[in-house]
Structure formats: structure tokens, C-alpha cells
Amino acid sequence: MLEALDKGVKGGVWFSLIDKVYRPRVLAAAWQHVKRKGQAVGSDQQSVQQFESKLEPNLAKLETELRTGNYEPRPIRRTYIPKPESKEKRPLGIPAVRDRVVQTALKMVIEPIFEKQFIDTSFGFRPGKGCKDALKRVEQLLKAGYTWVVDADLRSYFESIGHKRLMADVRQRIADQRVLDLIESFLKQQILDQMQSWTPEAGSPQGAVISPLLSNIYLHEMDKAMKMAGYEMVRYADDFIILCKSRQEAEAALSQVTKLVEQRELILHSDKTSLVDTCQADEGFEFLGYRFENGTRRPRKKSLKRFKDTIRSKTRRSNGRSMAQIVADVSRTNKGWFEYFKHSHRTTFKPLDGWIRRRFRSILRGYDKQKGISRGWDNRRWPNQYFGDLGYFSLYDAHCALLQSS
């Protein structure tokens, strides 16, 4: 396939792919990926462990069903997760383990075909690309004078993907009818929400392995049109911004992208789409967890709240753990958070360290049967070095070390 991708196939369309999907080696590799990704059960209530207990016959059965055309996906289990800073909940669709294996195998086969055509304005759910690459591109454009920003938001994107239009996009590269039928079967999988069930007429469920790739295919024409028009767009999945050098250019870009979105049968969220002049004091925009404002970037309020809520859950006064255990647990969280937000403005980190240490000292006061939060004398009883000796990962010190290494 890689050789064919380099040389190209006749007409740019692939006719024979299904045999690569059900190939035992591909299914085995897909299984390993599913096993690493998570333990969620689908509508059939079969766990990853149960599937693995009869792994060989389960994979052999999938191979036979795909080869003979008898494979049918099971209903998707609908669940909901809370949206940050909102009373709304985001719907997730959890396919059965067996269907996640097939979707992964399908994705392994067709993703290289579409990756060959995707352009560099798209960063989400793509091999070798990620949030940090998108953020780096935003920084580059801002420094190059692209200070007017179209901050856009697609309303309910994954639920709004049009099946007919998506399949037409897929057919531009794939002509293997059995693969096309397989993709369509995943789009039309029955959804099971407690005692209710229905067949969706639009959308690709968040939580399905194949959905991120299909979502990128669906927005590729928009990416391409904006690039051909000369606009600097940075997109991560359904979250995108357009960076411009003037208000006039930004207004034209918003008009252009609105038309393209409507052609895709999608809607821009009017309350969450705006033009921002980043040269104006206190004007900024949010993208991938960061707030860009006054030439700096910091964690947005939602990101800080989520981080603090996690720390609060690990530093309750009554937790039954030693301070060394608490410090180790918090330090793991700090390391992960810092790895993503380490490029924030330098004033971000010291206040957070101080807030975390105050919570540590309040716990130590509780050990001594003292009530209330940490006070001035506590800073001398348990100085910063005390927590450093216990292995505390200081966000401020880590940032200073990063600046020195840079």
C-alpha cells in the first residue's frame, strides 16, 4: 500500500481493500490497539478481558464474517459525560469490543489513503500531529503579524455530519463497495440509550474509533478551499481559528468559511463565533485549552478550574494518607499538566505552587489537630523545602529550568 501510495493508483481511486481489512495480521494488530485504549463495554456488555479470553476464535470469527460479507456491527451504547463549565452533557457512543477491533482494522487500511491528501492546516487526530503542533503554528502566525482572529465554533459537529455527503467524499478515493458498505454500516449503527433505540440519520458518534478520521474527511474540502483562498486557518478536529492581518481580511474570511460550513450542512455557533483584534488590550481568544491575550498565552479559566478541581480531590484534609503519598500523587498531576501548559506566561506557575503548598500545610495542621487553613507561622514550620524534600514537583522550578535550557 505504501508503495502504491507513492506511485499512485489508477485515477487515484482504490478498488480492492476489504481483503486487507480482514487479514489476520491486521485484525491482530487492531486488537492490540483496542486492548491498550480502554476497558469500556458496549451494548453487548462484553468486556475486553472476556473478548481476550477467547481471542483466537473471536478474531477468526470476525475474519470469516468480513470475508463472507456477513459482518454486522452491534448497537452502540450511548452514555454521557459532563461538559466543563456547563449543565449540558456531551453524548458518547461506545461500540462493542468486536466492533472497535473492526473499526481499528478499517482505519489502519484507509487512513494512509486520506492522509496523503490532507493538508497542513489540520492537526487533530492525525499521525505525527497534535495540539502542540497546532499551538506552535498559532504562535508563529501571531508573531508574523496575523493579529486579527476569526474565532469560530461549529455547533454539534459530530452529530451533524451528513451521511450522503460524507460517503460521496469517501467515494472520491475508495471504490471497493464492501469497504463503502462497511463504513456506511458504522454510520447507521443502531444507538441504544437505556431503554430507547434508534438509527441515526446524520452524525458519526464520538467514541467510535473511525469517527475522528471520518470527521477529518468531512472537513477536508473546507480546509482545501480556505487554503486556496489564501487564508491561514488552524484546525484541530471541529475547533478552528483563522488568523488574518486586518479586520477587512478577517471579515472576508468569516464570510467565506460561513458559506463553506453551510455547504457541508453544518452551522457556526453564532454566540461563540467572533472577530478578535489581539492588539487591543484585554481582547483575546481561546484555543485548545489556552487563552491568547496581550501577546501572551495562559491556561484558560476552564483549564485552570479543571486542574484545581483535580488537586482539591487529592488534597482533602481527611484522606488517610501520609504527606509523602499526597505529594507524590499531586506531583504526578503537576508533571502531566506542566507538560501541556509549560509554554504559558511565566506568571502562571508561582501562584499555583503557592496555592498547592497552602493545601499541603492545611493538611499538616489537621494532623496536629489544628483547625482552619494554613497561616503565616505554618510557612516557617513547613517551608517550601520541606515539600521539595518529599519530592514535590514545583511548576515554577520546572518552568525556570525550561527557560534556562532554552
Side-chain angles (χ1 to χ4, degrees):
M1 282 192 68
L2 291 173
E3 184 180 351
L5 281 167
D6 289 334
K7 294 181 178 179
V9 293
K10 186 176 181 180
V13 181
W14 292 73
F15 286 87
S16 180
L17 291 172
I18 190 65
D19 60 309
K20 298 168 181 63
V21 176
Y22 63 69
R23 188 173 294 171
R25 191 169 56 184
V26 174
L27 289 173
W31 154 250
Q32 291 298 328
H33 183 82
V34 169
K35 182 181 177 181
R36 288 193 302 268
K37 289 295 282 185
Q39 303 296 316
V41 299
S43 61
D44 60 359
Q45 298 301 308
Q46 185 181 47
S47 67
V48 170
Q49 291 81 6
Q50 288 171 330
F51 188 91
E52 187 175 27
S53 67
K54 297 180 180 178
L55 182 60
E56 288 189 12
N58 280 334
L59 292 181
K61 184 177 181 182
L62 288 177
E63 179 198 352
T64 301
E65 290 178 353
L66 289 165
R67 179 165 43 79
T68 58
N70 292 320
Y71 169 80
E72 290 185 10
R74 291 172 183 168
I76 285 180
R77 180 173 67 86
R78 171 66 64 87
T79 187
Y80 298 88
I81 59 173
K83 289 185 177 180
E85 302 292 313
S86 173
K87 294 181 180 179
E88 297 180 24
K89 291 190 175 183
R90 178 178 289 112
L92 286 183
I94 311 298
V97 175
R98 68 192 293 275
D99 296 332
R100 298 207 294 271
V101 172
V102 174
Q103 286 191 23
T104 302
L106 175 63
K107 179 174 177 284
M108 290 168 64
V109 171
I110 70 172
E111 185 176 58
I113 297 169
F114 293 98
E115 269 297 314
K116 193 76 174 175
Q117 71 176 23
F118 289 159
I119 57 180
D120 57 5
T121 61
S122 166
F123 294 87
F125 310 119
R126 295 186 59 191
K129 292 181 180 289
C131 290
K132 293 180 181 179
D133 303 296
L135 292 166
K136 184 178 179 181
R137 181 58 180 158
V138 172
E139 288 273 18
Q140 290 171 343
L141 290 167
L142 288 171
K143 290 177 180 176
Y146 291 82
T147 55
W148 276 89
V149 176
V150 179
D151 186 5
D153 185 89
L154 290 172
R155 179 183 292 171
S156 304
Y157 171 60
F158 280 88
E159 292 83 6
S160 304
I161 293 173
H163 291 174
K164 288 185 179 179
R165 189 174 293 274
L166 172 60
M167 291 307 300
D169 293 339
V170 173
R171 286 190 182 91
Q172 291 183 20
R173 291 288 177 267
I174 295 176
D176 186 326
Q177 190 58 47
R178 292 172 66 184
V179 168
L180 293 171
D181 290 343
L182 187 59
I183 294 171
E184 198 155 15
S185 73
F186 289 130
L187 291 173
K188 297 187 179 300
Q189 263 180 285
Q190 189 179 28
I191 295 175
L192 191 63
D193 188 349
Q194 295 182 352
M195 300 302 293
Q196 295 182 323
S197 65
W198 69 92
T199 300
E201 296 182 1
S204 185
Q206 293 188 67
V209 177
I210 200 69
S211 288
L213 174 59
L214 297 180
S215 74
N216 277 333
I217 294 171
Y218 199 70
L219 290 179
H220 170 65
E221 290 300 322
M222 183 182 79
D223 294 341
K224 190 168 64 173
M226 291 300 287
K227 190 174 182 73
M228 290 177 65
Y231 294 116
E232 294 288 354
M233 186 168 76
V234 180
R235 182 174 69 80
Y236 190 95
D238 58 334
D239 195 1
F240 68 90
I241 56 176
I242 308 164
L243 296 99
C244 307
K245 288 192 172 182
S246 67
R247 181 181 185 91
Q248 183 180 11
E249 183 185 355
E251 289 174 344
L254 177 57
S255 176
Q256 174 81 351
V257 82
T258 300
K259 293 176 184 176
L260 292 169
V261 163
E262 289 173 353
Q263 288 173 10
R264 297 272 100 189
E265 301 174 339
L266 302 171
I267 301 173
L268 282 179
H269 204 303
S270 58
D271 294 338
K272 297 180 180 180
T273 300
S274 60
L275 302 184
V276 178
D277 179 5
T278 61
C279 291
Q280 296 295 318
D282 302 324
E283 279 206 35
F285 63 96
E286 295 179 352
F287 187 59
L288 299 182
Y290 276 94
R291 171 78 181 175
F292 291 81
E293 188 176 323
N294 298 330
T296 67
R297 62 163 150 151
R298 305 168 186 269
R300 66 176 185 165
K301 289 181 180 179
K302 289 181 181 179
S303 301
L304 277 176
K305 182 181 184 302
R306 196 176 300 124
F307 173 66
K308 285 189 169 185
D309 286 346
T310 301
I311 297 298
R312 286 189 185 99
S313 70
K314 296 174 182 288
T315 55
R316 295 189 176 95
R317 287 175 65 96
S318 302
N319 55 65
R321 297 188 297 170
S322 70
M323 181 50 62
Q325 291 173 318
I326 295 170
V327 167
D329 193 12
V330 168
S331 291
R332 284 191 292 270
T333 298
N334 282 10
K335 287 177 183 177
W337 191 85
F338 180 78
E339 180 59 30
Y340 187 77
F341 288 104
K342 62 186 176 185
H343 297 297
S344 299
H345 191 264
R346 57 185 175 79
T347 56
T348 300
F349 306 102
K350 198 168 187 176
L352 287 173
D353 275 336
W355 176 77
I356 291 169
R357 291 192 187 103
R358 280 197 300 276
R359 294 192 65 84
F360 287 160
R361 292 183 181 109
S362 294
I363 294 171
L364 291 170
R365 284 175 62 84
Y367 291 166
D368 288 347
K369 309 298 182 184
Q370 293 178 298
K371 296 181 180 180
I373 62 173
S374 170
R375 298 167 185 166
W377 168 245
D378 296 329
N379 293 347
R380 282 173 280 176
R381 293 176 69 192
W382 302 294
N384 293 352
Q385 187 58 47
Y386 173 83
F387 303 108
D389 293 340
L390 289 175
Y392 175 66
F393 180 88
S394 164
L395 299 168
Y396 176 75
D397 290 348
H399 189 251
C400 289
L402 177 68
L403 293 180
Q404 289 173 357
S405 66
S406 298

